[in-house]
Amino acid sequence: MGDGSAVGPVRIGNCSGFYGDRHAAMREMVTGGELDYVTGDYLAELTMLILARDRAKSPDRGYAKTFLTQLEESLGTALERGVKIVANAGGLNPAGLASAVRALAERLGLDVDVAHVEGDDLIDRASELGFGTPLSANAYLGAWGIADCLTAGAHVVVTGRVTDASVIVGPAAAHFGWTRTDYDALAGAVAAGHVIECGTQATGGNFAFFTEIPRGADGFRPGFPIAEIEADGSSVITKHPGTGGLVSVDTVTAQLLYEIGGERYANPDVTLRVDSLTLGDDGPDRVRITDARGEAPPPTLKVSLNAIGGFRNAMTFVLTGLDIDAKADLVRLQLEAGLTVKPAELEWTLARTDHPDADTEEAASALLRCVVRDPDPKNVGRHFSSAAVELALASYPGFTTTAPPGDGQVYGEFTPGYVDAAEVPHVAVHADGTRTAIPIASETKVLTPVDPCPLPEPLPAGRTRRVPLGIVAGARSGDKGGNANVGVWVRTDDAWRWLAHVLTSDKLRELLPETSELPVTRHLLPNLRAVNFVIEGILGKGVAHQARFDPQAKGLGEWLRSRHLDIPEELLPPEGELE
């Protein structure tokens, strides 16, 4: 352990979970209470594609421009209060963003040391490394470049593609003087970073039991989260006093389960054993995370690869009233026969949103969606949507569509890659222009599956009621390239004894028929009373491919919670209190 054991906790608040998050959040975090650092995560897989297209138009672009307007409101106050700022808003051009921040500071009359981290961008070597010719290729760097910049005195550090948790781990490592092999402390910081990096998802946003979140005078406006990280890596998750939302064991559990895989959560600096974590109530809006165990990181770095997949177009038909399936069959037959140019891909989806004997027309209607894709924009252009509209007076009764004809739009494809860490430069570029090469980890450990933990003793057989799973279980789901994860947790030990035995991979496939033919892997996390499922291939080639109407799988967990199971009555609230 470094020499930071006598240092008090470091308070790190995160003000952004994605490019486009609440603009006022940085100002709210800087002015709302005591902090040492404000961090921001701006980079999702889809964001990298957007920034790559932006950079293709001009080499001066490629970073999150809203970061600058947020800084304009907050930089002066942050300097006055001694708050440093770390963000991955540099995207594909961290040097360009660092220069823009310096220009902003000069215009504001502020003396600011601005540093940046680079080396993640592998686009010029993509072919050499076996990645073909993508539009962007970025390795996920770790936290040590950030830590080096902060130790050298930077007030603002911007990076390119680092892991989401790294913007939190770097400040903690700099604050405490951790070494590269302080694995348990680093793992604890990764856990804290993973909880707060998605902003208000840790404070009641996107929360399964959202009806339990207090509502304030301004409605439902969760505050952004703070991690108070200790020298041993343990932490307390909280938020500024007086802000909305809720920090509870449940909200923190939900975020810990977000977009993870198995029991091992790999980062470039350490692999966190998620199954080691213990959560505890530390008072109102305070949850303590302890017992993190860390292992040496893997020898490879993940690489985010984005490419232009082709062009897509879509039309949605509204089918109302009787004979929905027959109406759908008719328009499918007519449109496919009427296309003079056949696209490479043509997909139909019928959403049975209609209700029998409905008291509104909208409630009586279903939606039939046709999506076409092709490498050539001409094959999915206006002729496709015009062919659909030309059926208006010659097809099913009540023909209508949700939008007029339009041109095809470009779509992207995400592919994860892996590269030996030694192939990736990791460079801290300081305010004075000096450059520090960050060495790779001296010790690594190849990721291997964890031996399955024993199942808890099953609940004795008893009376059950057939009700939605969500009566007793929360869930959070998300995307990882073409895969999705669904984490499910319960609140009591008895509920865990039931869940661990009942919610198997086969049961998930039964409850979610879209997964019936897909590989599904289940991971048990007893300390969290949770199971996590990884569903391979359900999202096609990533969010930009839009293979599903919910391309990031954000609603997958809520679909699962809505499915009915036979649940023991002893786990249920009284019948009159069921949702």
Side-chain angles (χ1 to χ4, degrees):
M1 177 76 69
D3 60 4
S5 56
V7 180
V10 58
R11 286 176 57 87
I12 303 172
N14 186 54
C15 73
S16 177
F18 66 99
Y19 188 11
D21 209 345
R22 188 189 305 169
H23 192 275
M26 183 182 290
R27 172 171 47 80
E28 292 171 3
M29 293 300 283
V30 170
T31 60
E34 181 183 348
L35 285 179
D36 299 300
Y37 294 91
V38 169
T39 64
D41 175 23
Y42 292 77
L43 303 182
E45 292 166 356
L46 179 60
T47 310
M48 298 301 285
L49 176 64
I50 294 169
L51 294 178
R53 296 188 66 197
D54 199 29
R55 182 177 64 174
K57 298 173 185 175
S58 169
D60 297 331
R61 302 180 186 177
Y63 56 78
K65 296 184 285 292
T66 54
F67 176 72
L68 289 172
T69 57
Q70 290 177 297
L71 271 188
E72 188 165 6
E73 295 181 350
S74 305
L75 185 55
T77 305
L79 290 174
E80 290 171 7
R81 299 190 173 201
V83 179
K84 296 184 177 182
I85 297 171
V86 179
N88 62 12
L92 300 179
N93 190 5
L97 179 56
S99 295
V101 173
R102 293 187 189 101
L104 172 65
E106 183 177 355
R107 179 164 60 83
L108 297 175
L110 301 173
D111 184 14
V112 182
D113 283 347
V114 183
H116 73 274
V117 177
E118 63 185 29
D120 61 293
D121 195 343
L122 305 178
I123 191 62
D124 292 335
R125 300 167 53 211
S127 179
E128 164 199 338
L129 294 170
F131 299 137
T133 56
L135 192 62
S136 67
N138 295 80
Y140 288 76
L141 299 180
W144 292 107
I146 296 169
D148 188 78
C149 292
L150 294 170
T151 301
H155 300 116
V156 178
V157 182
V158 295
T159 77
R161 181 69 276 187
V162 297
T163 64
D164 299 341
S166 290
V167 295
I168 291 96
V169 178
H175 184 81
F176 295 115
W178 291 335
T179 69
R180 297 287 292 262
T181 57
D182 286 331
Y183 293 134
D184 289 348
L186 290 166
V190 167
H194 181 59
V195 170
I196 72 169
E197 52 93 358
C198 270
T200 53
Q201 282 197 166
T203 58
N206 294 354
F207 179 53
F209 303 109
F210 70 97
T211 57
E212 300 176 4
I213 306 297
R215 307 292 174 97
D218 56 354
F220 188 83
R221 185 180 170 87
F224 278 70
I226 298 166
E228 299 175 351
I229 302 177
E230 303 277 357
D232 64 354
S234 62
S235 65
V236 169
I237 306 301
T238 185
K239 60 188 182 70
H240 279 322
T243 57
L246 175 72
V247 178
S248 69
V249 169
D250 282 318
T251 69
V252 172
T253 298
Q255 185 54 28
L256 279 172
L257 295 173
Y258 183 61
E259 294 182 347
I260 64 169
E263 296 83 352
R264 289 188 163 103
Y265 184 61
N267 267 245
D269 307 313
V270 65
T271 294
L272 164 66
R273 286 295 297 263
V274 181
D275 54 347
S276 71
L277 298 175
T278 302
L279 304 185
D281 193 329
D282 197 58
D285 290 317
R286 294 178 63 84
V287 173
R288 184 169 292 278
I289 305 176
T290 57
D291 301 325
R293 285 198 295 119
E295 300 171 342
T300 58
L301 300 181
K302 184 179 177 180
V303 181
S304 170
L305 300 166
N306 282 285
I308 298 299
F311 297 82
R312 67 186 298 278
N313 206 339
M315 287 295 291
T316 300
F317 304 86
V318 181
L319 315 176
T320 303
L322 304 177
D323 305 319
I324 295 295
D325 289 329
K327 289 171 180 174
D329 290 342
L330 175 60
V331 78
R332 285 189 189 113
L333 175 67
Q334 288 179 303
L335 182 58
E336 292 185 21
L339 289 176
T340 56
V341 177
K342 305 298 182 185
E345 298 179 41
L346 189 149
E347 296 177 1
W348 291 95
T349 305
L350 176 60
R352 292 301 302 262
T353 52
D354 55 303
H355 300 267
D357 195 21
D359 57 2
T360 66
E361 182 177 340
E362 187 171 8
S365 299
L367 298 175
L368 176 66
R369 188 166 182 250
C370 182
V371 178
V372 290
R373 299 184 187 90
D374 200 279
D376 189 338
K378 295 193 297 293
N379 292 345
V380 294
R382 187 172 291 266
H383 78 89
F384 160 73
S385 49
S386 294
V389 172
E390 287 172 3
L391 299 174
L393 304 182
S395 189
Y396 62 88
F399 182 104
T400 188
T401 62
T402 59
D407 296 323
Q409 302 294 322
V410 68
Y411 72 88
E413 292 180 351
F414 171 84
T415 307
Y418 294 89
V419 63
D420 191 301
E423 293 283 353
V424 181
H426 186 173
V427 181
V429 184
H430 300 288
D432 62 2
T434 58
R435 302 169 65 86
T436 302
I438 306 300
I440 63 172
S442 59
E443 179 184 11
T444 61
K445 180 178 179 180
V446 176
L447 286 177
T448 56
V450 173
D451 291 335
C453 65
L455 288 170
E457 193 71 23
L459 279 184
R463 289 170 58 90
T464 64
R465 266 186 274 165
R466 192 160 187 81
V467 294
L469 173 63
I471 298 297
V472 297
R476 179 158 288 167
S477 56
D479 62 303
K480 278 297 180 186
N483 301 340
N485 94 292
V486 182
V488 183
W489 83 95
V490 289
R491 293 165 147 175
T492 68
D493 290 340
D494 280 348
W496 168 242
R497 292 169 62 190
W498 172 80
L499 183 78
H501 285 274
V502 170
L503 197 57
T504 62
S505 295
D506 287 341
K507 190 65 175 179
L508 181 93
R509 291 190 185 97
E510 176 189 328
L511 294 171
L512 305 183
E514 289 182 35
T515 71
S516 61
E517 303 300 321
L518 298 174
V520 176
T521 306
R522 185 178 86 149
H523 303 276
L524 293 178
L525 300 169
N527 286 10
L528 302 179
R529 300 193 195 99
V531 292
N532 187 56
F533 296 93
V534 177
I535 305 166
E536 297 180 35
I538 191 170
L539 302 180
K541 298 176 183 178
V543 55
H545 186 236
Q546 295 189 342
R548 296 180 79 245
F549 82 102
D550 175 22
Q552 292 181 290
K554 302 303 186 189
L556 202 58
E558 288 302 292
W559 178 26
L560 179 61
R561 292 182 69 237
S562 75
R563 298 309 310 267
H564 288 224
L565 288 85
D566 295 320
I567 299 179
E569 284 194 344
E570 64 187 277
L571 304 180
L572 299 174
E575 193 163 2
E577 298 179 15
L578 287 178
E579 296 178 2

